[in-house]
Amino acid sequence: MSTGVLLPRRAWASVLAVTLTLLSQALLKAQHAPAAATTMLITLGGFKADGSDAATIAAGVLLVASPGELVRRARIPPSPQGP
């Protein structure tokens, strides 16, 4: 990414990785919009495939997902409507 040149192998890696990401989400009935962006950051070279960058990504996921999960669990279920 720093060179500003997109190599064909990186483009194809991105296509394959994003396709697999979206298929996995569909099969698991999971939705996470930023997953494809994270996949592209890795395949295009924005992040290295090492422990340090993996820890950075994991920390970001936890910082974003944890409050969302707390809010989701705190929702009051809708009251049933009577006749």
Side-chain angles (χ1 to χ4, degrees):
M1 285 180 82
S2 63
T3 63
V5 177
L6 178 60
L7 299 174
R9 67 179 178 202
R10 284 206 182 261
W12 283 111
S14 294
V15 169
L16 179 62
V18 170
T19 301
L20 291 174
T21 299
L22 295 175
L23 285 173
S24 299
Q25 287 182 3
L27 290 172
L28 295 171
K29 296 182 180 172
Q31 296 178 0
H32 183 65
T38 304
T39 300
M40 289 184 68
L41 281 170
I42 293 169
T43 57
L44 293 174
F47 282 112
K48 297 176 195 140
D50 64 10
S52 174
D53 284 349
T56 301
I57 293 169
V61 168
L62 287 174
L63 285 171
V64 171
S66 297
E69 184 64 18
L70 290 173
V71 169
R72 186 185 72 82
R73 290 178 185 244
R75 286 187 187 160
I76 299 171
S79 61
Q81 296 181 1

